Amino acid sequence: MSFESTLTVRVRRWRDRAFLALSLLCLALSLVALAALVGDLASNGLPRIDRAFLTSFPSRFASEAGLLAAWVGSLFVILVTAALAIPIGIAAGVYLEEYAPKNLWTNCLEVAMANLAGVPSIVFGLMALGLFVYRFGLGQSVLTAGLTLGLLVLPIVVVATRESLRAIPGYIREASFAVGGSKWQTIRHHVLPYSTGGILTGVIVAVSRALGETAPLVTVGALTFITFLPTSVMDPFTVLPIQMFNWVSRPQEDFHANAAAAGVLLLLLTLSLNGVALCLRYRSRKRVHW
Amino acid sequence: MRFRRRQGLRLEGLIEAGLALAAFLAVAVTLGIAGTLLWEALPFFREIGVAPLFGTEWAPLFAAPRYGLLPLLSGTLVITAIALLVSVPVGTILAIYLSEYAPSRAREILKPALELLSAVPTVVYGYFALLFVTPLLRRFLPDLGAFNMLSAGLVMGLMIVPYVSSLAEDAMRSVPMALREASYAMGATRLETSVRVVVPAAFSGLVSAYVLAVSRAVGETMVVAIAAGMQPNLSLDPRDPAQTVTSYIVQVTLGDLPHGSIGYQTIFVAGLSLFFVTLAFNIGGHFLRRRYREAY
């Protein structure tokens, strides 16, 4: 590669094409792997999904076990997660992008936020175990799980909020200031409404991430054998990915089919949520021309 | 009029304070994590000390407990290395393709398709590694165990590919067009321009992508817990089963764990080591990323 000038044009062109072929190969491999993953899950799991599977509690017998407790649990946990992560994430994003002065303190905030986005999810689980479960006495409940996941996905909402606020040109704000709008009025009536698309994308991605997250909830102490539905946020719980983890860790093949079926549902949820987010992002990018 | 204005100002101040409080939560959570881990791990260090951690056997729950962290670290190291061997080259090549070769319409379809890879829940990747990739690999490597580091590492690599490629592509796209045009004007091919102009110009961004990928791989849990087995094993052979720092935490918390017991303390020791390793990588990656963002 180092002495291009001594190589003939034909060799250099050939190298260029060879790299293109290599990159297309990598691309194909990644997409084939994704297809294999979806195909394998679907062929093992789809036959297992029926009405009874969705409306039964777990059981010692693979053929009688169902997902009822898991999907209701997931729904409860996600509601708590969203109630925490969405308002706080948007508020923090607005502060960092619109208000925060450039000084040491906000620099600390930035570093903390960047670090939070990269802390392994299981470490969030350990914090929740020590802090929420024992110190605050919240127990191994829906509330603990929702708070844990809420903190975990908070950086996703913050980053999405900041990016869509940053995309709004300065003259929109100046126009509002010029007619006497205060800072908050400007944000409330102009900046936020115009960035709804981007923020919504971030919120959807965050929810999808929280739906699929397993490790922190194992740490917090989610149960795998629950034969009742949660009625309040203080009840014990299980969620879809935990149920799938439990089934896939069993040696019996019958349970593996159950795991595949749970996986199909999980994939369906997360991939369709991400699909919606992609469409939203694409549309808001296409439609708005400043 | 004056009264209303003063009230408005007070409202403005309240709102700003509220928003600042929300942002402050990030710092509070970071401190909360570090504090909780330290606090819960402290009794372990007081009772057992640091020296036993350097032993070669990890069996904290046995009658004659051994607290050598090396087997967990070797498992983490091997699996992370395999994952990076997959995700760094593939991710970089894809990033070069997307940023320098692909026509814009192809990029608009391919990028989201790749992002779907990162939307798949990790527990599903674990299933894929255990029940699809391992049986597939066993056709070529008959002595491969049902649980092994190879398949966990490969699948984890696949999982991190879109992460690396999207961060690396961001870095390369922020290289100014003028540099590329200068290179093309001298008669360079796309490959020569990518390798000799764009990649060096985006270097700190690329390194930050790799650094963040390491942090991701070290902290990944479910794939390893499902596909690599749960036996601590001081081995560098990828065909062996192993336990990582993360999957040890899963194994212990799956069982019934009395608050304050020695088992309970060990998972916080494990978590503490994990937190500081990833903290170093994350902050390093953050500053590298900022450097390339400010460069142009």
Side-chain angles (χ1 to χ4, degrees):
Chain A
M1 199 63 229
S2 50
F3 298 105
E4 279 100 12
S5 51
T6 62
L7 297 171
T8 61
V9 169
R10 196 194 283 167
V11 172
R12 291 169 53 204
R13 221 178 251 163
W14 183 83
R15 284 185 172 179
D16 191 59
R17 300 245 170 82
F19 183 83
L20 182 61
L22 179 69
S23 56
L24 289 176
L25 184 75
C26 285
L27 191 67
L29 274 179
S30 315
L31 296 180
V32 164
L34 180 63
L37 186 151
V38 174
D40 182 53
L41 269 184
S43 70
N44 291 323
L46 272 184
R48 189 66 191 82
I49 298 180
D50 52 26
R51 208 189 157 91
F53 186 66
L54 296 176
T55 54
S56 316
F57 285 109
S59 159
R60 281 186 298 123
F61 307 103
S63 55
E64 289 171 19
L67 268 181
L68 180 62
W71 72 257
V72 175
S74 272
L75 193 70
F76 266 66
V77 171
I78 284 299
L79 285 178
V80 177
T81 303
L84 175 76
I86 296 173
I88 294 186
I90 295 176
V94 169
Y95 178 77
L96 288 173
E97 204 56 41
E98 302 285 329
Y99 285 92
K102 257 203 167 197
N103 58 25
L104 189 69
W105 166 239
T106 49
N107 219 346
C108 281
L109 281 181
E110 298 264 356
V111 173
M113 204 57 94
N115 177 55
L116 270 195
V119 170
S121 58
I122 194 157
V123 171
F124 277 92
L126 283 176
M127 179 205 63
L129 179 65
L131 211 57
F132 298 156
V133 175
Y134 291 115
R135 191 155 305 267
F136 297 166
L138 298 179
Q140 301 171 329
S141 60
V142 170
L143 182 62
T144 302
L147 291 180
T148 312
L149 293 183
L151 295 180
L152 180 70
V153 299
L154 189 66
I156 302 179
V157 181
V158 173
V159 168
T161 304
R162 295 186 65 178
E163 274 177 5
S164 41
L165 293 184
R166 207 177 297 148
I168 294 181
Y171 55 74
I172 298 282
R173 297 178 182 84
E174 284 152 17
S176 165
F177 292 145
V179 294
S182 69
K183 186 145 193 168
W184 174 244
Q185 286 167 336
T186 304
I187 293 170
R188 169 78 187 74
H189 296 292
H190 298 279
V191 179
L192 272 181
Y194 305 153
S195 45
T196 324
I199 297 177
L200 201 58
T201 308
V203 165
I204 294 173
V205 171
V207 164
S208 132
R209 169 87 195 276
L211 264 177
E213 205 45 75
T214 322
L217 299 187
V218 173
T219 317
V220 162
L223 303 176
T224 46
F225 201 89
I226 285 201
T227 50
F228 53 88
L229 293 179
T231 51
S232 85
V233 289
M234 297 312 288
D235 284 343
F237 69 101
T238 189
V239 289
L240 281 172
I242 300 258
Q243 188 64 68
M244 177 174 177
F245 175 48
N246 176 262
W247 281 335
V248 78
S249 335
R250 295 190 189 204
Q252 304 94 323
E253 294 233 340
D254 296 351
F255 278 108
H256 290 168
N258 284 3
V264 168
L265 284 179
L266 258 181
L267 263 187
L268 212 63
L269 280 172
T270 52
L271 292 189
S272 57
L273 278 174
N274 274 276
V276 171
L278 282 174
C279 286
L280 264 175
R281 200 167 65 187
Y282 186 76
R283 268 187 47 192
S284 66
R285 211 187 274 158
K286 275 271 130 106
R287 208 177 44 200
V288 181
H289 294 288
W290 296 108
Chain B
M1 196 66 204
R2 239 180 107 184
F3 174 72
R4 268 188 62 193
R5 186 150 161 211
R6 196 179 293 161
Q7 221 177 17
L9 278 180
R10 194 191 293 158
L11 182 71
E12 291 280 316
L14 276 179
I15 285 170
E16 180 169 351
L19 296 175
L21 203 66
F24 172 72
L25 191 70
V27 177
V29 174
T30 307
L31 293 178
I33 290 175
T36 309
L37 293 177
L38 278 171
W39 181 255
E40 304 284 353
L42 208 61
F44 176 89
F45 291 118
R46 213 179 283 143
E47 254 172 66
I48 289 151
V50 179
L53 290 178
F54 296 98
T56 55
E57 206 181 328
W58 178 257
L61 304 179
F62 284 13
R66 297 256 190 284
Y67 303 105
L69 266 178
L70 285 182
L72 299 189
L73 295 183
S74 75
T76 307
L77 192 75
V78 172
I79 293 177
T80 302
I82 297 172
L84 291 176
L85 278 178
V86 175
S87 59
V88 165
V90 175
T92 311
I93 288 172
L94 286 179
I96 293 180
Y97 171 74
L98 287 173
S99 145
E100 307 300 319
Y101 280 77
S104 68
R105 185 172 297 164
R107 182 168 52 228
E108 274 184 15
I109 298 168
L110 290 174
K111 251 197 115 170
L114 274 176
E115 274 168 30
L116 285 185
L117 266 177
S118 59
V120 175
T122 54
V123 64
V124 174
Y125 274 115
Y127 174 96
F128 183 61
L130 178 68
L131 297 175
F132 186 86
V133 176
T134 298
L136 192 72
L137 289 172
R138 277 174 116 172
R139 279 195 218 156
F140 308 101
L141 301 164
D143 54 342
L144 195 70
F147 297 107
N148 61 79
M149 294 190 262
L150 184 61
S151 130
L154 289 177
V155 171
M156 197 196 287
L158 175 70
M159 197 176 97
I160 303 178
V161 161
Y163 191 64
V164 175
S165 74
S166 104
L167 286 173
E169 197 222 335
D170 277 351
M172 287 198 261
R173 297 251 279 169
S174 74
V175 172
M177 225 24 161
L179 290 184
R180 286 187 193 93
E181 281 157 4
S183 168
Y184 287 131
M186 303 294 288
T189 63
R190 284 174 298 185
L191 179 63
E192 288 156 7
T193 305
S194 310
V195 174
R196 305 200 120 203
V197 177
V198 179
V199 167
F203 194 68
S204 62
L206 289 179
V207 175
S208 112
Y210 304 150
V211 165
L212 294 174
V214 174
S215 158
R216 225 10 224 286
V218 168
E220 171 45 40
T221 311
M222 295 321 290
V223 175
V224 183
I226 293 172
M230 296 258 200
Q231 302 114 287
N233 187 359
L234 186 58
S235 159
L236 295 178
D237 186 343
R239 287 170 301 182
D240 287 341
Q243 189 163 49
T244 61
V245 179
T246 51
S247 66
Y248 169 70
I249 301 174
V250 168
Q251 186 195 22
V252 171
T253 46
L254 274 178
D256 208 13
L257 192 66
H259 180 212
S261 64
I262 194 79
Y264 179 85
Q265 290 163 14
T266 55
I267 59 172
F268 284 93
V269 174
L272 199 62
S273 59
L274 207 59
F275 179 69
F276 281 115
V277 169
T278 52
L279 182 75
F281 279 106
N282 290 337
I283 291 183
H286 174 70
F287 282 112
L288 282 168
R289 226 163 103 81
R290 268 226 308 229
R291 228 180 84 189
Y292 87 73
R293 277 205 167 169
E294 281 165 11
Y296 299 106

